[in-house]
Amino acid sequence: MKKLFVAFSLAFMMLAVMSSCGSSTSSPSEVALAATKCMQDKDFSGYVDLTDTDSDSKEMMVSMIGEKATQQVDSKGGITSFDVQSEEIADDGKTAVVKMNIAYGNGDTEVKDIKCVNKDGKWLVSKDK
């Protein structure tokens, strides 16, 4: 019985990890959705993992993005919902722009362009504005 409980617990933890912010980056839309979910959850480390930032500057990026995003998002009452409006992949297949509809707790909505880059077959949020 104890082995069954341990196996069930491990399976549940794996499911939770797979459903976290960075679960899939096989398309620009998927990485944009995952990145926006990280912002909604204030998982700035998860967000930075979805960018094309080198690992040496990750901690600094988490701190900078965390401060700025928290101020901007909290001032609007948090992110309440989001979805993909459109996705445009460049002809060379190396970059894309995903238009996201984002709704905030204060009733504001906006369309944000999330620029993505394909690195080694994996779509990431571009750190370049």
Side-chain angles (χ1 to χ4, degrees):
M1 187 69 164
K2 192 174 186 178
K3 287 182 183 179
L4 181 61
F5 176 75
V6 170
F8 180 78
S9 296
L10 286 173
F12 180 77
M13 287 189 321
M14 286 180 62
L15 180 62
V17 167
M18 289 189 306
S19 66
S20 69
C21 296
S23 60
S24 179
T25 59
S26 62
S27 76
S29 291
E30 286 180 356
V31 76
L33 285 166
T36 306
K37 176 69 174 151
C38 286
M39 285 294 173
Q40 182 182 43
D41 294 344
K42 296 183 181 179
D43 177 7
F44 305 118
S45 180
Y47 177 86
V48 171
D49 286 343
L50 295 170
T51 68
D52 66 334
T53 303
D54 60 66
S55 59
D56 293 340
S57 59
K58 180 180 176 180
E59 279 186 44
M60 182 180 69
M61 289 295 295
V62 169
S63 177
M64 286 178 17
I65 290 171
E67 283 181 35
K68 186 175 179 180
T70 298
Q71 285 179 341
Q72 290 178 347
V73 172
D74 285 355
S75 72
K76 296 179 181 184
I79 296 173
T80 57
S81 66
F82 53 90
D83 63 10
V84 173
Q85 184 181 62
S86 66
E87 171 186 288
E88 281 188 44
I89 299 175
D91 291 338
D92 65 5
K94 294 180 182 177
T95 61
V97 176
V98 178
K99 290 192 180 293
M100 296 284 298
N101 297 312
I102 302 175
Y104 298 94
N106 67 356
D108 287 354
T109 60
E110 69 178 326
V111 176
K112 275 199 169 272
D113 287 349
I114 298 181
K115 295 177 182 174
C116 302
V117 62
N118 191 323
K119 297 263 177 132
D120 301 321
K122 182 177 179 181
W123 284 100
L124 301 168
V125 173
S126 175
K127 65 181 177 193
D128 299 327
K129 295 258 175 185

